[in-house]
Amino acid sequence: MPHSAILNRDIVEEILVHLRVHEEVEGTSVGRGWATLASAARVCTAFHEPATKALWWSIPAIEPVLHVLVKASWLSVSGPNMEMAVKYFIRDETRDIPEDVWRRLRQCTSYTRVILQGSSRVRISPNVYVVLSHKSLKDPLFPHLRRLTWHSSTPDHLGLLPLLSPTLQELTFDLGSPHRRSLDWVSILIQNPPPVEDPSTDQLLQTVLPRITGLTRLEVRVSNDIPHLRDSISWACFAQVNSLRALTLDHRCTLRDVSFLRELALLPNLTELSIHILLDIPSSIAPFDGFCSLQKLSLHVLGQPEVDFLRVFNSPGLHTFWILFLRLRTDTLPATLGHIANAYPGIRSITIKELSVQDRGVPPAPGATFEAAFGKLTRCLSLEEFTLHTYRGAILCTGSDSHFALLAQSWPALRVFSFLAELSGDSPPTHRTIAAFARHCPQLRVLHLRGVSFRALTKEALRELPPSDHALEELGICAVRGMSNTLRSARFLCRLFLRMRVPVTTRWTCPVCAMTTRFGECANVFAAVFSAHNLSLIEADKVGPRAARRPSATASGSRRNTQVARPAVEETGSTSVGVLGHVPHPPMDN
């Protein structure tokens, strides 16, 4: 006698909803995904329809449709079986798909909301796509499809057409080889590329976009073995999708004619924009009112433009600004930061990076002071994330502890501060800069700095430092200076940050120096501090939690350890994460 719960359709559907596959890796993992749902559909009559709905809610590609047609003897496969098919082809070109088979197939595809892979992993005869596209002209094969990811080695649209639906909201193109995605900016700078005879990205976009009226998110990723976007009609297609909310285009879709920004700015619902833009000469964009709804902006700027071009992206609600320069001139940074502070006073996230390596010994621009470069940003009181990454050797401006303390006081809601840039001056940032962020930014979770000096960290300064319960999770220092007493430096960091992430087998890697010859210099200098930090924690763990609550005498009996909250080490793969625990603090006079 079955349990009464499985007789309740709502309960069965609610259980099977949690077995839906949202990512392709979930569907192919052992004991989960599509195989589990297929087994559930064969358990009993009460399970069949709810499990079928959950099974077809997401499909990896068009293969499930082909399997149905193979079982109906309309398709044939060349290969040992359906699971190891080499090619699908029509058994009889003169015979149409039986109506009962097509009706049953349409019932299953009406449950589909997500297609994860898009293109098939096996060869399919072009005639199969032609027949499916023809039968889907009036009634789409997937009438309720919401999200589609199209992976394909070529931008051929023939296999994509049967999958399209007017209800599609999120579309991702992933074209070409995934191993050839590095930024090939040399080919982008070619003004007159050779003509393309094979299927191109332009043809794909111009065929697909006019068929989808309700698209809200569009992402295009193209590898270097496929010709880049070059037809102005393609950009006009982007601007005609009025429902678009998020547009992401990689470097193979670089915007060369900046006049199309005016058309993109007219999209009423566009809130997220990520594009590559080529500006070799001073900006000649005619002024306009900017974007009306833009909230997140990501720019990859190729060339050496004037900073004035940023005014065309002005939007009253922008809160996230991300920009990567091919090469960041030292005189560009103050103008960029000044524009951000004036145009977006409520900005919450700022990221500025450069791509190419600067020559060593690049002097700062005349009159480049910390106040001139960063002074206006102190008015952005809502800032939560600030990232500045420039290559070592390019000096931006002067800087000292007092300047960083001013930034920390101005941004009380700061969560991420990654300042990996070169400063000059007689007073470089010291351990006091770290203490300032610990004091004024209670929500800070990630702190990256460059060129911090620990020479001024004395025994007296360490004793005067009160214990802190700050919850910093990640600390990284590039090009550290004056690291003569590693144990003292480790105690200093431990007293400030109780939950600091301490690398054990994998050291913190400076994202700027990782791909340069300075990587070893950057990664190894600070390792001794982390080693001392870990050693003290491991020794403290041996004491035990009960003994840790009592002050213990030293070997000479003349000094006592002060009891303080310290992190215990919890091994998690390649890193050890500090967690709260009460352990005795080592003596302070070493």
Side-chain angles (χ1 to χ4, degrees):
M1 186 69 182
H3 194 279
S4 58
I6 68 171
L7 300 179
N8 189 315
R9 184 185 181 88
D10 295 336
I11 295 178
V12 175
E13 288 186 351
E14 182 65 26
I15 294 174
L16 295 176
V17 159
H18 295 281
L19 296 179
R20 289 175 177 173
V21 177
H22 294 82
E23 300 293 340
E24 190 174 8
V25 65
E26 300 176 5
T28 57
S29 58
V30 178
R32 296 186 60 190
W34 293 299
T36 303
L37 291 170
S39 300
R42 295 189 291 266
V43 170
C44 61
T45 304
F47 275 30
H48 178 73
E49 186 175 354
T52 301
K53 286 184 177 180
L55 175 64
W56 282 84
W57 183 85
S58 66
I59 59 177
I62 201 172
E63 276 90 342
V65 174
L66 302 181
H67 290 177
V68 174
L69 298 178
V70 169
K71 291 182 178 180
S73 300
W74 185 76
L75 282 182
S76 295
V77 296
S78 60
N81 50 51
M82 264 195 311
E83 286 71 23
M84 301 180 64
V86 177
K87 182 178 180 180
Y88 289 86
F89 58 92
I90 300 176
R91 183 185 296 266
D92 184 359
E93 297 286 350
T94 63
R95 178 171 170 252
D96 197 5
I97 301 176
E99 287 299 326
D100 59 331
V101 176
W102 183 252
R103 192 182 313 108
R104 187 167 64 252
L105 178 60
R106 286 290 309 277
Q107 180 65 31
C108 293
T109 55
S110 66
Y111 302 142
T112 304
R113 301 295 186 271
V114 178
I115 299 180
L116 300 173
Q117 179 70 22
S119 62
S120 175
R121 294 183 176 88
V122 297
R123 295 177 58 192
I124 301 176
S125 173
N127 293 339
V128 176
Y129 290 130
V130 172
V131 173
L132 293 178
S133 299
H134 177 72
K135 293 186 71 65
S136 304
L137 285 178
K138 295 182 179 179
D139 298 318
L141 181 58
F142 299 93
H144 305 297
L145 187 65
R146 298 290 185 268
R147 176 162 60 95
L148 168 61
T149 300
W150 175 254
H151 295 273
S152 179
S153 58
T154 63
D156 188 3
H157 62 270
L158 186 61
L160 176 61
L161 295 182
L163 307 180
L164 297 180
S165 172
T167 61
L168 191 62
Q169 297 178 355
E170 301 180 21
L171 177 59
T172 300
F173 291 109
D174 196 348
L175 307 176
S177 172
H179 305 292
R180 303 186 64 181
R181 295 290 169 81
S182 58
L183 178 58
D184 183 16
W185 59 271
V186 176
S187 64
I188 297 175
L189 298 178
I190 299 177
Q191 296 296 329
N192 298 310
V196 178
E197 297 181 358
D198 297 330
S200 64
T201 308
D202 289 288
Q203 297 175 2
L204 178 66
L205 294 174
Q206 294 172 25
T207 303
V208 172
L209 293 183
R211 297 169 179 256
I212 310 173
T213 58
L215 195 64
T216 59
R217 303 185 70 89
L218 174 63
E219 182 176 359
V220 182
R221 300 191 295 262
V222 185
S223 64
N224 295 331
D225 55 342
I226 294 181
H228 58 76
L229 202 67
R230 62 186 72 189
D231 195 343
S232 59
I233 300 179
S234 301
W235 285 95
C237 291
F238 293 139
Q240 292 173 2
V241 186
N242 291 325
S243 58
L244 200 62
R245 297 181 181 178
L247 176 62
T248 301
L249 305 175
D250 75 349
H251 67 283
R252 303 300 290 178
C253 303
T254 297
L255 178 61
R256 297 168 177 269
D257 188 354
V258 294
S259 62
F260 282 106
L261 289 175
R262 182 187 299 273
E263 298 185 23
L264 290 179
L266 296 178
L267 294 176
N269 302 310
L270 188 64
T271 59
E272 300 180 24
L273 179 63
S274 176
I275 61 173
H276 291 63
I277 185 170
L278 177 61
L279 294 172
D280 280 334
I281 57 177
S283 173
S284 58
I285 307 175
F288 60 93
D289 294 336
F291 290 73
C292 57
S293 304
L294 201 60
Q295 298 178 6
K296 297 181 180 180
L297 175 63
S298 297
L299 292 177
H300 295 71
V301 181
L302 308 178
Q304 295 290 333
E306 299 293 335
V307 179
D308 289 343
F309 85 95
L310 291 176
R311 72 182 186 276
V312 303
F313 297 100
N314 287 355
S315 178
L318 192 82
H319 57 72
T320 301
F321 185 95
W322 191 101
I323 187 169
L324 180 135
F325 290 95
L326 180 62
R327 170 168 293 211
L328 179 62
R329 300 199 310 260
T330 53
D331 59 340
T332 302
L333 181 65
T336 302
L337 294 177
H339 171 81
I340 295 174
N342 293 330
Y344 319 116
I347 192 79
R348 297 202 301 264
S349 177
I350 300 175
T351 299
I352 301 177
K353 299 181 180 181
E354 69 170 336
L355 179 64
S356 62
V357 181
Q358 296 273 11
D359 297 331
R360 291 192 177 189
V362 178
T369 63
F370 201 93
E371 293 84 354
F374 302 94
K376 295 181 179 180
L377 286 180
T378 57
R379 302 197 299 263
C380 302
L381 304 181
S382 302
L383 196 64
E384 299 177 3
E385 299 182 11
F386 182 82
T387 300
L388 175 61
H389 291 177
T390 64
Y391 282 90
R392 293 171 59 182
I395 301 176
L396 297 180
C397 60
T398 59
S400 62
D401 289 330
S402 59
H403 297 119
F404 284 103
L406 178 61
L407 294 182
Q409 294 174 15
S410 303
W411 303 333
L414 195 65
R415 295 186 296 107
V416 176
F417 187 77
S418 184
F419 194 98
L420 299 176
E422 201 86 6
L423 301 178
S424 64
D426 299 332
S427 302
T430 67
H431 67 281
R432 297 183 183 89
T433 292
I434 302 177
F437 281 99
R439 183 181 310 113
H440 300 293
C441 303
Q443 302 179 37
L444 191 65
R445 295 298 177 265
V446 177
L447 177 61
H448 299 158
L449 296 169
R450 174 178 291 173
V452 176
S453 174
F454 285 82
R455 293 188 180 94
L457 181 60
T458 61
K459 295 184 293 185
E460 291 74 15
L462 189 59
R463 290 194 185 98
E464 296 174 358
L465 187 68
S468 170
D469 59 352
H470 199 284
L472 186 77
E473 297 175 358
E474 180 177 317
L475 172 68
I477 300 181
C478 169
V480 63
R481 305 174 184 175
M483 190 61 65
S484 58
N485 194 320
T486 57
L487 185 58
R488 185 181 302 162
S489 301
R491 289 169 178 159
F492 165 76
L493 298 178
C494 291
R495 289 180 68 84
L496 284 180
F497 309 117
L498 292 176
R499 303 174 188 175
M500 183 177 60
R501 181 176 302 165
V502 181
V504 177
T505 58
T506 302
R507 296 166 181 164
W508 176 80
T509 302
C510 173
V512 179
C513 300
M515 303 303 295
T516 66
T517 57
R518 297 191 177 196
F519 167 66
E521 174 188 352
C522 172
N524 296 328
V525 170
F526 207 57
V529 174
F530 285 150
S531 299
H533 177 276
N534 293 338
L535 180 62
S536 63
L537 296 180
I538 294 173
E539 293 298 327
D541 287 341
K542 297 178 181 179
V543 178
R546 181 172 300 178
R549 297 190 182 97
R550 299 191 304 268
S552 58
T554 62
S556 61
S558 59
R559 296 187 299 268
R560 290 184 176 272
N561 295 333
T562 58
Q563 182 181 351
V564 65
R566 292 286 309 283
V569 172
E570 177 186 359
E571 293 291 340
T572 57
S574 61
T575 61
S576 62
V577 183
V579 295
L580 287 178
H582 296 282
V583 297
H585 197 284
M588 286 294 181
D589 53 353
N590 286 338

